[in-house]
Amino acid sequence: MYLKKLELKNYRNYSQANLDFDKNTILILGNNGNGKTNLLESVYYLSTGRSHKTYIQDEIIKWGSNYSTIKALIGSGRGDKEDRFIEIELRKGSSSNTKIRVDKTRRKKKSDFISLLPSVIFSPDDLNIIKSGPSGRRDFLDSVLEKIDGKYCRERTQYQKILMQRNSLIKSMGGSGRIDMENNPTLEAWDDNIVKYGIDIIKKRCGLLGELKGEFENYMSSFFKKASVDIFYIFSWDRKDSPDSFKSPLLSEMAGGNFTGGDLKEIFYGKLKDSQKKDIRYKTTTVGPHRDDFVILLDDKNARYFGSQGQQRVAAICLKLCELGILRRKLKRNPVLLLDDVFSELDIERKKLLVKAIGNDFQTFVTSTNISYLDRLDLDFGSKLLVKDNKITVLDL
Ligand SMILES: Nc1ncnc2c1ncn2[C@@H]1O[C@H](COP(=O)(O)OP(=O)(O)O)[C@@H](O)[C@H]1O
Ligand SMILES: [Mg+2]
């Protein structure tokens, strides 16, 4: 699938934009702040039903407007008959006002349309997956799972609801000063539910990490020949907030994604029960997938703390390359690639390695402020666009 036509109305800085694309690589040039990222964001929205930059939908609507539309024709590459027409209408005030239609038919569930135009976005903010706290790493795993598993989004929402309910019960217990409430039957019931719903999330995330592990290590060693690389999941109960503590008894098993779910369930339940007193004291649930993490080791050191900026950037790119492979295998179609300013931060050798890793099989959108170094790479641009003064124009090749 590829993006054939895109029409934006009141999207970020664009009042109106009408664009036609072919399957080739598309270069989007423009100075800082002119709307390159905004354009890629609109394609990502079309693909996933959300922005990669914000959870606040109103931010996307052009200032001063109260609605925004994204319309697109998705080409199958097998003739016009199989093309799909997607329309998204956003209204200010509430994200529940969003209307999505595919071929004029309303789609109520996100999972009904998000695999139509799969996409992977590479953005400078990806550095945070490696550098920042665990939530960015959880978000990475969750966003990939949402794209490949129609049920995942619902399961996670369900878990969040149960977690909120357990937390409010815990707060009320602490408030009354009754720390001895730990074997309370209502709390036990929430614990059962936390485990029931949380275990699926943990298993799916570990399965995903197990699946991308080999590929990630291969990509990393193509970028950094000499470094040894490892990546594994960390359970909330094994997390310690010091740079060197990443060992835990189950990790070697988990890394391959081949743990026995039954045992894990028991361990999870035991850890949750053990943490009751502490949870009541801290007024929050300290055990569960909402506190899990994963760690990347480069030469046995945590990349988050000891990796150079360049190594961290490449590690984030390698995670995205793995996402690309996984989407392609699971959805059996080629995702669209959105490369937002990724080349500028890499040295020439790693720029070339990235171009090689991506290959020519994908419709790729590349943004840049500067064309000079791109000319030295083996990128074959089918078209070039310039964003300037809130308008997008096609440049002669
Ligand atoms: N909702 C909005 N309405 C109008 N303009 C917006 C909106 N959100 C962001 N912008 C504008 O978009 C600009 C950023 O565009 P961006 O795509 O990030 O630029 P770049 O070309 O550097 O990637 C900001 O400077 C801001 O002026
Ligand atoms: Mg940008």
Side-chain angles (χ1 to χ4, degrees), residues 153-213:
C153 200
R154 229 171 315 133
E155 287 169 350
R156 219 159 56 91
T157 314
Q158 189 69 29
Y159 177 79
Q160 289 296 347
K161 271 190 201 155
I162 290 161
L163 180 65
M164 271 169 60
Q165 275 155 329
R166 187 184 190 269
N167 282 343
S168 52
L169 176 68
I170 277 175
K171 276 192 193 111
S172 67
M173 288 170 153
S176 60
R178 292 160 68 189
I179 306 256
D180 59 325
M181 292 282 286
E182 348 159 25
N183 295 310
N184 171 307
T186 325
L187 184 56
E188 299 285 319
W190 287 124
D191 285 3
D192 288 348
N193 276 318
I194 288 271
V195 174
K196 184 173 162 212
Y197 289 92
I199 194 82
D200 288 335
I201 295 173
I202 298 180
K203 278 191 199 168
K204 285 183 178 179
R205 286 190 191 151
C206 288
L208 176 65
L209 211 61
E211 194 173 338
L212 64 75
K213 183 180 162 66

Side-chain angles (χ1 to χ4, degrees), residues 198-246:
I199 194 82
D200 288 335
I201 295 173
I202 298 180
K203 278 191 199 168
K204 285 183 178 179
R205 286 190 191 151
C206 288
L208 176 65
L209 211 61
E211 194 173 338
L212 64 75
K213 183 180 162 66
E215 216 172 344
F216 178 76
E217 289 165 7
N218 287 341
Y219 276 129
M220 283 299 282
S221 48
S222 74
F223 281 96
F224 298 108
K225 299 251 160 2
K226 293 201 190 103
S228 76
V229 184
D230 206 352
I231 180 167
F232 47 72
Y233 198 77
I234 304 246
F235 300 109
S236 51
W237 53 84
D238 288 327
R239 242 181 75 193
K240 312 241 171 2
D241 290 321
S242 93
D244 274 324
S245 55
F246 39 74

Side-chain angles (χ1 to χ4, degrees), residues 330-376:
K330 298 273 181 199
L331 303 172
K332 302 201 168 41
R333 54 181 75 177
N334 280 348
V336 171
L337 286 195
L338 307 167
L339 304 185
D340 195 9
D341 230 354
V342 277
F343 290 107
S344 62
E345 305 274 350
L346 301 176
D347 59 45
I348 185 72
E349 190 188 335
R350 269 150 277 268
K351 279 188 180 81
K352 284 184 177 166
L353 284 166
L354 178 58
V355 171
K356 193 167 144 221
I358 285 166
N360 297 320
D361 295 341
F362 308 96
Q363 186 189 33
T364 308
F365 293 79
V366 180
T367 72
S368 180
T369 51
N370 180 333
I371 197 166
S372 58
Y373 66 78
L374 290 171
D375 283 342
R376 291 163 64 200

